[in-house]
Amino acid sequence: PPSMVLTTACPDTTGVVAAVAGFLASHNCLITEAQHYDDPISDTSFMRTVFHDNGQGTPPLQQLDEDFARSVAQRFGMRWKFHEARRKCRAVLAVSKHGHCLNSMLHRWSTGTLPIEVVAVVSNHQDMRSLSEWHGVPYHYLPVLDGRKAEQERRIIELFEKVDGELLVLARYMQILTPTACEYFAGRAINIHHSFLPGFKGAKAYHQAHARGVKLIGATAHYVTTDLDEGPIIEQEVARVDHTMTPEELVSIGADLESVVLNRAVKWHAERRVFANGNKTVVLK
Amino acid sequence: PPSMVLTTACPDTTGVVAAVAGFLASHNCLITEAQHYDDPISDTSFMRTVFHDNGQGTPPLQQLDEDFARSVAQRFGMRWKFHEARRKCRAVLAVSKHGHCLNSMLHRWSTGTLPIEVVAVVSNHQDMRSLSEWHGVPYHYLPVLDGRKAEQERRIIELFEKVDGELLVLARYMQILTPTACEYFAGRAINIHHSFLPGFKGAKAYHQAHARGVKLIGATAHYVTTDLDEGPIIEQEVARVDHTMTPEELVSIGADLESVVLNRAVKWHAERRVFANGNKTVVLK
Amino acid sequence: PPSMVLTTACPDTTGVVAAVAGFLASHNCLITEAQHYDDPISDTSFMRTVFHDNGQGTPPLQQLDEDFARSVAQRFGMRWKFHEARRKCRAVLAVSKHGHCLNSMLHRWSTGTLPIEVVAVVSNHQDMRSLSEWHGVPYHYLPVLDGRKAEQERRIIELFEKVDGELLVLARYMQILTPTACEYFAGRAINIHHSFLPGFKGAKAYHQAHARGVKLIGATAHYVTTDLDEGPIIEQEVARVDHTMTPEELVSIGADLESVVLNRAVKWHAERRVFANGNKTVVLK
Amino acid sequence: PPSMVLTTACPDTTGVVAAVAGFLASHNCLITEAQHYDDPISDTSFMRTVFHDNGQGTPPLQQLDEDFARSVAQRFGMRWKFHEARRKCRAVLAVSKHGHCLNSMLHRWSTGTLPIEVVAVVSNHQDMRSLSEWHGVPYHYLPVLDGRKAEQERRIIELFEKVDGELLVLARYMQILTPTACEYFAGRAINIHHSFLPGFKGAKAYHQAHARGVKLIGATAHYVTTDLDEGPIIEQEVARVDHTMTPEELVSIGADLESVVLNRAVKWHAERRVFANGNKTVVLK
């Protein structure tokens, strides 16, 4: 039977796990995976449950949702969502001129190893049109004209709404979003930064790393917020470098890191494993 | 309030999470962490729950246990155990002549970062007496005389029982346990093997690795079974090596790996995160 | 000024480094990088030197080569080769149905981060034609008909010679080369194996890894020899996995590993850093 | 025959490698390892050569040194040093209250896997006296009284000179050295910082990392300079953490990292592999 995922977050109190699991059992759902974490700092209870029909008939999703709202969510002041596991997260990928992240995401999507549906690529340049269209993905060229960024962002948002987007992935998109756009995409936009944050914020991170003489370089995937390079971190990874390497070689090694880290972050988001928790994330694996 | 840990394993069916969580809620327990995993191959449901008194009075452990047996465990055919988080797992450490694992475990235990109580060191050699006794741990010299291993193992088991041992850690103990001892310690003995299993089983693993020219060496912590180096793997780690290194240098780099891997495995076991699942483990982190 | 690379290997004796470096200095070459390693087991001296014209006029490559043969190589019984650093290694990529390694190599080649010239893709299937041709690389479909593998391999060799191939990369090519082909490509064919060798040789490596319950999976790039999965290892890498993952998820995580490891091995080979040394490699980084 | 190590650094020009290797060959030295790196930014040539008597009689070290000074070093404006490989680097270890780095260094030193001679432990606290003395190392308690740090540092320097110290290791020594001491120990003092620099400088690095929600924590070994946490980095390493971990758990995981990283840095320094190069290091491995 097809799996469903239920995610919940609520103030921490007695009986949350019991209420959620009890609700599912009484609706003929067999739980195959459950993770619950109670953050002692924000006093918030996060839970992710995977389940399917136990053979005796789970009600349809909409009814489940209504019942849950009434019988559980209200009582605990819960934010919650039921997801069909097979319905893939609809993603819009934004890119500028560097295609390594885009290429690796399109490849994984096309081979079915990344559980998203790529519904559009948007770019302020034309460079990645050919790659995107070869994969059969519509390419939207939205340049930033004469610094009219707000206007360009409005068109991105229009596109996002038109294609029913759920996630915006900044796959080496080299424009800083305005606060308005950051707010619009809050919790729905993932960026890849080319350093091991909080080290080397801003531009030319590999050149900064080279100048400092670090022995490992890194990449960081995070939710976009108005605070540049300060959003909640979803995933990070590093690779070893040495004194013989030029900044260009760091860029090349880093390209792999960025692809790997961004793919992981997007996968976890799409699998509903990532919860924003203030300026941090809870990732239930 | 002090935390408690409940671990359960049972055949996979509807309502397990609900029953466990419901039981705890109805006994005034606030769940702070819960992980549930349902293995589709063995059709077994594994669960680990951390909780504490919600302020309205959790019954004492023994009553909880009796109630749970009657109202939940029986119904689901469950193996289960309640643990007081602050009561540390009583460990006996076995060692031969190489002290790097012993040294790092004793250091961590003495600084409180390894949640075990080291109640005895046992060895077939005298080399590690001084280190153990400096840490205030009784040292039991039990040599294997004229190949009378069964007799020596009986004395290890006697000691284990006398000190109320819960876990035997083979911290580079260079004797192969007999089937009798393997059976006695089933699920209660962790060994560190000096390779990335299943590569390089048996003796002189680093020399084997050197001869093969691998670029990474590893270490593996696993539960002891009668099948040498085939027991359920708890943890593994690797480190990079290169062509300039001699077998002796691999041994030296490997010593770090072994210590780190063994400490992690023992820590997770002591925190009741590790469940044997056939010839594999489920580690609920 | 353009860089050149000189690689040498000879029986270990006094004066090798002095002779090589002295030769270069007397021919107006400025050494920018030099690594020398003397293997105490095979008693062989390996050396890689990068240099360029010091401004006073290095002779052309052919004359350098002739002078070196006469004045140095003969005396030390040396195998040696001068390479122009900017002349890229001509590579033929072989693939079957899984395109992740091919995709990542073509992407890196096209962005200039992999120092090879991809001159052809050869396959026993049609699946990767579109990807290859999109990158502008000729695709040669050479199926294995009725088990007539020797015949197909002859055609691969003919192609390799026609395109002046220097390196054959088995980028998830799922046919085992015959001894004849292995011999022909000795030291010129790199394979990627989907496990951390020597663990899990042969087919379905990720399924084997899943069944054994390992906590890390790996990939290994090695030179092809007649001994299946036993050739000299060039590079290995691992990634963490856990009990929740299916064999399919291991395959997906492993795909990344394979790409990364194969790219590194091919890059080092193309930069003339890798020396076969019996059944091992010396990699001068 | 016993090995010797020659390290050299000089302005980059034609003939450096030839001159060094030629000198050794003409003095009956067989080179077993040589690494040369020419930094294009500082225009400096760094070289490390390992050699031994080729059987025909290498002159004694002092004569080698004098000959080298006259015939090579002067010509190239070289800093150089000959080291007997078996003569271990004389190290003074400084510690405050946290003993994990000290414990692991003393253990490795005592088992012969760290090529240093621990000649003294110095501390501003009494906590580590027992551990040090158990290992047979004299313990010098030099508290910082009433903020008179300069005076205490003078006593450290006196001790360092009295015991013929060559290297000061700050193994979790929680006092910031004054500029005077930094200058005195320039290139001779290695500190371990408990973060992946340049992230989280200063105190309470793990608490900073916890607050930022990073997914990997790190440790950094660097030469001490007057710029706090800005000295040339010798080695770094990271470990994975997650949202469930408290700052205290990060401290505990970090303790392993710190030990591993510090031991590597000290080993490489003692093997004469590390060259300061402005605010960076060249590590010839």
Side-chain angles (χ1 to χ4, degrees), chain B residues 97-118:
Chain B
K97 294 183 160 200
H98 295 297
H100 52 277
C101 286
L102 181 70
N103 179 62
S104 88
M105 296 185 78
L106 289 174
H107 179 73
R108 280 163 218 235
W109 161 64
S110 71
T111 57
T113 59
L114 188 61
I116 59 170
E117 186 63 34
V118 180

Side-chain angles (χ1 to χ4, degrees), chain C residues 145-203:
Chain C
L145 298 169
D146 301 329
R148 281 179 287 160
K149 188 183 280 188
E151 190 181 314
Q152 186 242 18
E153 285 184 346
R154 267 199 303 279
R155 295 181 62 195
I156 295 180
I157 291 175
E158 276 168 32
L159 169 66
F160 192 78
E161 299 194 335
K162 208 180 102 195
V163 300
D164 267 335
E166 295 173 281
L167 176 66
L168 177 68
V169 182
L170 305 183
R172 299 297 278 150
Y173 178 70
M174 308 307 279
Q175 295 285 323
I176 297 169
L177 296 191
T178 62
T180 309
C182 289
E183 216 161 288
Y184 174 81
F185 286 111
R188 300 189 293 173
I190 295 177
N191 181 48
I192 181 73
H193 184 75
H194 52 320
S195 85
F196 186 78
L197 288 174
F200 312 127
K201 293 177 195 173

Side-chain angles (χ1 to χ4, degrees), chain B residues 100 103 107-108 130 134 256, chain D residues 100 103 107-108 130 134 256:
Chain B
H100 52 277
N103 179 62
H107 179 73
R108 280 163 218 235
S130 162
W134 183 75
D256 283 338
Chain D
H100 51 277
N103 179 62
H107 178 73
R108 279 163 218 234
S130 161
W134 183 76
D256 281 340

Side-chain angles (χ1 to χ4, degrees), chain A residues 100 103 107-108 130 134 256, chain C residues 100 103 107-108 130 134 256:
Chain A
H100 52 276
N103 179 64
H107 179 74
R108 280 162 217 235
S130 163
W134 184 76
D256 282 340
Chain C
H100 51 277
N103 179 64
H107 178 74
R108 279 163 218 233
S130 162
W134 183 76
D256 282 340

